[in-house]
Amino acid sequence: VEEEMRAQGLLGKRASRQAEAEKDRLIAEGEKPRSGKKGGSRKSEALPQPLRLRSSTGTEIWVGRNNAQNDALTFRLADRRDVWLHARGIPGAHVVVRSPAPDPTTLEEAALLAAYFSTGRDSGSVAVDVTEVRSVRKPRGARPGFVTYRNEKTLHVHSDVERVRRLLERSEETARSRTSAWSEENALRGKTEE
């Protein structure tokens, strides 16, 4: 039986190399491979996608709104040079500005989002830590979403729900226009292929 399994590549170094190659392929395609442990299917899962917004100056801001999105955003999707924000000392969203040197307006809007998507949303002023993604670490065995960081600077922002709503509305308008443009393009393709 063991010889048959080796011949099929189920045992030995060849099988582990094949498994590693498959894992690398899935990660490159933006999916996360499932562990080979018992329970559940062995299909791959797509990475949790964060909320994607644009600041008023046009810079991309990504917001992880739960622990899975926070981990995926900080450790898989963000570039090391991007700027990372989080409400200081309280549970909340990981926010990434997709720029190594964002302008002050973008940084303020990202800090507002970090404060808004935290448990400090209703307090008057929230301290938000800012650092580079490369300075954020996940301790071994830590629960999803838990991180440590260094080299931070702290911004203090006052809740501005209206400004956050405008950012969120702009994001929804952009998403709707992308979806409608995609639908129109597909409809045109369908007519020209007939």
Side-chain angles (χ1 to χ4, degrees):
V1 174
E2 192 174 311
E3 287 176 14
E4 286 178 33
M5 290 178 76
R6 272 205 177 92
Q8 293 174 358
L10 299 174
L11 289 178
K13 292 180 182 175
R14 182 177 170 205
S16 64
R17 274 186 259 143
Q18 288 173 340
E20 281 298 314
E22 178 67 9
K23 179 180 173 185
D24 292 342
R25 183 189 66 78
L26 288 171
I27 290 172
E29 291 176 359
E31 298 181 6
K32 101 177 158 181
R34 302 249 335 172
S35 66
K37 296 178 182 174
K38 291 181 181 178
S41 71
R42 292 185 181 231
K43 293 181 182 178
S44 61
E45 298 175 1
L47 285 174
Q49 292 300 308
L51 175 64
R52 295 169 189 243
L53 307 164
R54 289 223 178 253
S55 70
S56 58
T57 60
T59 305
E60 245 185 317
I61 301 173
W62 292 357
V63 181
R65 292 170 293 167
N66 60 44
N67 290 336
Q69 287 180 1
N70 285 344
D71 274 359
L73 172 60
T74 303
F75 300 110
R76 292 198 168 188
L77 299 173
D79 186 270
R80 305 171 26 88
R81 297 165 300 193
D82 290 341
V83 174
W84 182 89
L85 300 93
H86 190 280
R88 183 180 193 95
I90 55 176
H94 292 199
V95 177
V96 170
V97 178
R98 301 283 296 161
S99 169
D103 59 274
T105 303
T106 298
L107 204 53
E108 183 183 355
E109 289 173 349
L112 281 170
L113 289 165
Y116 182 80
F117 288 106
S118 75
T119 56
R121 173 192 299 201
D122 297 326
S123 61
S125 178
V126 178
V128 177
D129 287 337
V130 181
T131 189
E132 289 182 314
V133 169
R134 76 177 90 205
S135 297
V136 181
R137 300 277 183 264
K138 183 168 194 65
R140 277 194 187 142
R143 67 185 187 276
F146 183 81
V147 296
T148 60
Y149 50 92
R150 57 189 170 78
N151 303 327
E152 74 273 9
K153 292 181 179 172
T154 304
L155 300 175
H156 294 273
V157 293
H158 296 281
S159 297
D160 188 348
V161 176
E162 283 306 311
R163 196 166 172 195
V164 170
R165 283 197 181 126
R166 283 194 304 269
L167 284 168
L168 294 172
E169 286 171 1
R170 188 179 314 124
S171 162
E172 290 171 6
E173 289 170 9
T174 305
R176 277 195 299 269
S177 67
R178 274 193 226 130
T179 304
S180 65
W182 181 81
S183 298
E184 290 172 14
E185 185 178 318
N186 283 338
L188 289 174
R189 282 186 187 160
K191 289 179 182 177
T192 59
E193 290 176 4
E194 292 176 355

